[in-house]
Amino acid sequence: MEQLDLTPSPRLLEVLGDIPYQPWQCLAELIDNAFDDFIADEERDPQEPPTVRVTLPKSTTPKGDEIVCVADTGRGMGKEDLERSLRAGYTNNSRHGSLGLFGMGFNIATARLGTLTEVRTTRAGDADWLVAEIDFRRMEKAGSFSVPLSRQPKPDTAIHGTEVTIRKLKPETRTSLRRQATGSQIREKLGDVYSYMLRSPDSVPELLGSALIGRGFALYVNGNRVKPRLPCVWSANRYVTYRGASISAVTRIEKTLKPAWACMDCGYWHHSDPEICAECQSENLQLRERRVFGWIGLQRYFDTSDFGFDLLRNGRKIRLKDKSLFRWEHPDTGQEWTEYPIELGATVGGRFVGEVHLDHVPVTYQKNDFERSSSDWRTAVDIIRGDGPLQPKKAKAINYPENHSPLGWFFGAFREIKPGQRNLIPGDGARALHETAREWGRDFHKGLPEYRTDDRWFEAAVDHDEVKAGQRAPKQTPAARDGRPSTNLPDPDDILNVTGLSLTGSTSATSPKDAASLPRQETEEERFDRYRASARRLLDLCHEVALPNLGRREVVVYETSEPLRDGNGRETPTLARSPRGNKIEIFVDGRHSVFKECGRDPRDYAIIQLAETMRTQARINDPLAHVAADIISRLPDQRFTDSALRQRIDGLLQRTREALTSVVAIREYAIALWNCLPISEKEYAERNAEATESSLVWSEATTDGRFMAHVGPGGVAAIIRSRPDLVLDGAVFTTTWSTWPSHDAKARQVERLARRFESLAEFIANTDAKGRLDLSLTRLTLDMLDQEIKSEDLQ
């Protein structure tokens, strides 16, 4: 049978140079190959950091002498491996687990840069360098793919590695590289693209968390070490409370999918066990792990473009600052919404950042995006941001459940842009210092040590709250740096109000200059903001109350540590305020002498204050005691019965489980907490799950943390005793533990809290009739635990 010879023309290699790769992409293709070898070398000396050195033309390099060289300290190659590696279209990398995914990458990169490529390689123990020269013009003229191979002796047989040198650079490449090398743009770009590969424990501030640590490879450009671009995020130790859960400013993502069979030749995934690849009929199949992991972080500054997610494959960033995960498309209508940033997004920007590794998701041949039509990509998106809207109101409006994905929780916790500690935003007491925070961010990226941690940003957030609360005067520097008039001086109108001056003149002895030095008078809104800042909600009193002839009111009761003062400036145990609509806020000074010295219950005074406020607003003359009694009878958590206390226990237990959600979101913690449960508590949780969530795969729930939604009070007690380091000190419970110096003191803190949960477990298990004192004891236990669960700040 006759056959056709389809061996391509050698001109193919030169034509590959017309593929539109930017210079940094060409370098990245060669760096990928080196990093792949570092990763594959399991016998590499840990004391010898894997290194790649890139040489680029400088502005002083004579014309015609310019070269591009990428040299690594990898294992090097023998003759057979070298021959295969230089063959067009060949790759010794599998389609999964490597940066160099496409065999044409080397050919495209070298052809794009110049017309003459020299490859030198040697292994430890070899006596010579193997040197191959690829001259595209000569190969085309000869009509052959054959290239000369020579050997050069090396002075030290211990030397190993590979060098790729490109000469006879193309004019456009020469011009671009000269310009970018001088301006260090190449170095900065590579430091961003390979940030994960270049980061090491020494380069990552400790408080940013271990999730940000990478492989510690070394990369140099023209002798200057490439610094990884570190994310300027808040410390992983900074938390805010959202829906009863503590949400860290650096939150991990960790989801292991069911392993699948991957074709090592074409990359096609098979979810069954095939004999050959359904796509290319290859038998080179491997069962491989599929995993989505990384982190979502809160940047210390807002920016209109410098935010979004870096999406990585095998350690290299494929997408930088990707914002597509902030958009949601309705599956039925095709309508698309940008959900973040929303408020003032055009002028303030966003601050959600992160790194997500999608090693199993296929990418385009240029490695500049993922294959978004693949099922692997769609699954990854669902894991990161869920399948519904991030905004709770939007989700509810179109009949979607609340979004509990990692991004959904993070969005709920950090979407607001109000300055202060609650949202981790620097301010000056009057406004957010966005430009100042950005300037500090630029100093962080310059590597200035005083900006390495988030202390400066956090101090400005604390300062904002203190100035707003009237605890001290504002500082001048932040306001001046923000390009706005300084807020150090009181508003002129406030000065006139304080001093009695008028616009037409006054005989007052206080001059405007003297008045300017007086503190600005606190407004009523600021005063109540200050009360809330040091308050906690009495959740059993926070309900909607509807009474005949008095109407319906939404009641929120705060117990504050701030002294309360009435309109005449006198201290009072309670205050009421109606900020808007049918809402009533009741404030109780928990440190007032009537509570601390006389043993009265703050709840009783709050109910009396509420009764008086509702009676006054309705303009009726019903006796105060009668109205108070009606209110108590309509508050479910005030009933003093076995069933009412059980309902309250359920509510407190639900809050506790929600608060524990942030702990078990980390897989290793979820497994640890499940393992610390006694068998009886594991069985309790399993029975509870079977009764309420029968579709749950229990074996998965015990490792991914979903079991926590079914743990009983006895299980919570066991967790407190076994892992106080994970749940005390404000993580879940406000009870302090690590700060106590002695082991006995720590043990007493743990035992006191655990015993209270055990008493609730005993109450639930005991179905006998209970006396008044037993019911009173359980109610007091609930009251105490209400104060110890870290509560959401719902100002």
Side-chain angles (χ1 to χ4, degrees), residues 3-47:
Q3 295 185 353
L4 298 176
D5 183 3
L6 298 184
T7 303
S9 164
R11 189 172 184 276
L12 167 68
L13 297 179
E14 188 174 7
V15 171
L16 291 176
D18 295 331
I19 295 177
Y21 270 42
Q22 297 181 36
W24 76 264
Q25 288 179 289
C26 297
L27 296 173
E29 287 291 343
L30 304 178
I31 295 169
D32 283 353
N33 293 331
F35 282 174
D36 280 335
D37 187 61
F38 296 159
I39 295 170
D41 185 6
E42 298 178 353
E43 299 178 359
R44 176 168 45 85
D45 184 358
Q47 302 302 319

Side-chain angles (χ1 to χ4, degrees), residues 103-115:
M104 300 300 287
F106 170 85
N107 307 110
I108 295 173
T110 54
R112 182 69 176 168
L113 293 172
T115 62

Side-chain angles (χ1 to χ4, degrees), residues 302-318:
F302 288 83
D303 195 273
T304 54
S305 60
D306 186 14
F307 71 98
F309 296 115
D310 294 331
L311 306 178
L312 295 81
R313 195 183 200 276
N314 299 315
R316 169 179 164 175
K317 294 180 182 178
I318 302 299

Side-chain angles (χ1 to χ4, degrees), residues 531-573:
Y531 292 157
R532 292 190 201 91
S534 62
R536 68 180 185 90
R537 287 191 174 196
L538 299 181
L539 297 177
D540 57 312
L541 296 182
C542 296
H543 288 280
E544 187 177 73
V545 176
L547 297 177
N549 304 321
L550 297 180
R552 185 183 301 272
R553 297 290 186 270
E554 179 188 348
V555 179
V556 181
V557 179
Y558 297 95
E559 182 179 353
T560 180
S561 58
E562 287 282 328
L564 302 175
R565 296 187 180 277
D566 62 17
N568 296 318
R570 297 174 301 186
E571 281 200 21
T572 178

Side-chain angles (χ1 to χ4, degrees), residues 404-421:
H404 289 163
S405 67
L407 182 56
W409 277 96
F410 203 80
F411 174 84
F414 295 109
R415 65 175 294 185
E416 293 191 10
I417 59 174
K418 297 177 182 177
Q421 297 178 68

Side-chain angles (χ1 to χ4, degrees), residues 478-521:
R481 289 184 69 178
D482 229 37
R484 301 186 181 95
S486 171
T487 59
N488 283 7
L489 300 180
D491 186 87
D493 291 337
D494 291 329
I495 296 175
L496 299 180
N497 291 337
V498 171
T499 62
L501 297 175
S502 67
L503 293 175
T504 57
S506 171
T507 59
S508 169
T510 305
S511 68
K513 181 177 180 180
D514 295 332
S517 65
L518 295 175
R520 185 174 64 84
Q521 189 175 34

Side-chain angles (χ1 to χ4, degrees), residues 252-294:
R252 287 178 182 253
I253 296 174
E254 180 70 45
K255 179 67 173 179
T256 300
L257 304 173
K258 183 179 179 181
W261 290 89
C263 177
M264 296 295 102
D265 293 332
C266 75
Y268 188 78
W269 285 96
H270 306 74
H271 297 282
S272 59
D273 183 2
E275 294 183 359
I276 62 173
C277 174
E279 188 74 10
C280 71
Q281 285 72 55
S282 169
E283 296 181 358
N284 187 14
L285 302 172
Q286 288 184 14
L287 184 64
R288 298 188 65 90
E289 177 188 73
R290 297 186 306 144
R291 177 172 168 238
V292 176
F293 68 98

